[in-house]
């Protein structure tokens, strides 16, 4: 099934959103999300030397993740909310980056997991 690697990406992104510390105010939360986005983007751009995505596909992929991180506060979500986020990312990825092959997506997922956890630990309130 072609959505399996994408589903893992979506699940990892949702877990990143859940792993971040809760901020005291909306402004703090926005700053935390901006820092996370900047860190993840930097790591993804560096990792692209292995994936060899076109600049357009790379921009689409980072944009999907960025939108999800910036969309909602970084708080724990219910299972239904997590599934909604996962479906939104999955649909956006299918629509915006249909050219990615499964091997590339698998590599991206593994790298994104590691770099996402790294960035989550680096981002402070």
């Amino acid at each position: 099934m072609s959505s399996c690697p994408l589903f893992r990406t979506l699940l990892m992104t949702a877990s990143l959103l859940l792993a971040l510390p809760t901020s005291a105010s909306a402004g703090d939360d926005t700053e935390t999300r901006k820092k996370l986005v900047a860190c993840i983007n930097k790591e993804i751009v560096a990792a692209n030397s292995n994936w060899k995505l076109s600049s357009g596909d790379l921009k689409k992929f980072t944009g999907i993740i960025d939108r999800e991180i910036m969309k909602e506060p970084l708080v724990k979500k219910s299972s239904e909310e997590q599934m909604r986020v996962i479906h939104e990312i999955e649909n956006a990825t299918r629509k915006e980056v249909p050219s990615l092959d499964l091997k590339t997506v698998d590599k991206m997922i593994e790298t994104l997991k590691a770099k996402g956890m790294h960035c989550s630990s680096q981002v402070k309130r």
Side-chain angles (χ1 to χ4, degrees):
M1 185 164 138
S2 65
S3 67
C4 184
L6 294 176
F7 181 77
R8 290 192 306 232
T9 297
L10 304 172
L11 190 57
M12 187 280 312
T13 302
S15 68
L16 283 175
L17 292 171
L18 293 173
L20 290 171
T22 304
S23 298
S25 71
D28 290 344
D29 185 67
T30 299
E31 280 305 309
T32 300
R33 288 183 283 154
K34 285 180 181 180
K35 289 177 184 177
L36 179 63
V37 165
C39 181
I40 290 174
N41 284 344
K42 178 181 172 186
E43 297 291 345
I44 287 174
V45 168
N48 192 43
S49 64
N50 294 324
W51 307 331
K52 312 244 186 288
L53 299 180
S54 69
S55 61
D57 284 348
L58 181 63
K59 185 173 182 173
K60 289 174 187 177
F61 183 67
T62 59
I64 292 166
I65 294 168
D66 296 355
R67 284 191 311 262
E68 279 308 313
I69 293 171
M70 294 305 295
K71 189 188 301 184
E72 298 176 9
L74 299 172
V75 296
K76 287 196 174 189
K77 296 179 180 352
S78 69
S79 295
E80 289 108 22
E81 290 170 323
Q82 289 176 25
M83 290 307 296
R84 180 185 52 77
V85 170
I86 289 168
H87 288 303
E88 288 175 11
I89 295 172
E90 182 176 19
N91 291 337
T93 302
R94 284 182 180 178
K95 182 178 179 181
E96 295 178 38
V97 197
S99 61
L100 296 179
D101 65 62
L102 294 178
K103 280 188 169 188
T104 301
V105 173
D106 284 342
K107 291 176 189 176
M108 292 164 57
I109 290 166
E110 292 305 314
T111 302
L112 188 56
K113 285 179 186 177
K115 300 303 182 181
M117 293 308 287
H118 166 76
C119 289
S120 292
S121 68
Q122 297 299 310
V123 174
K124 305 290 183 209
R125 290 187 204 193

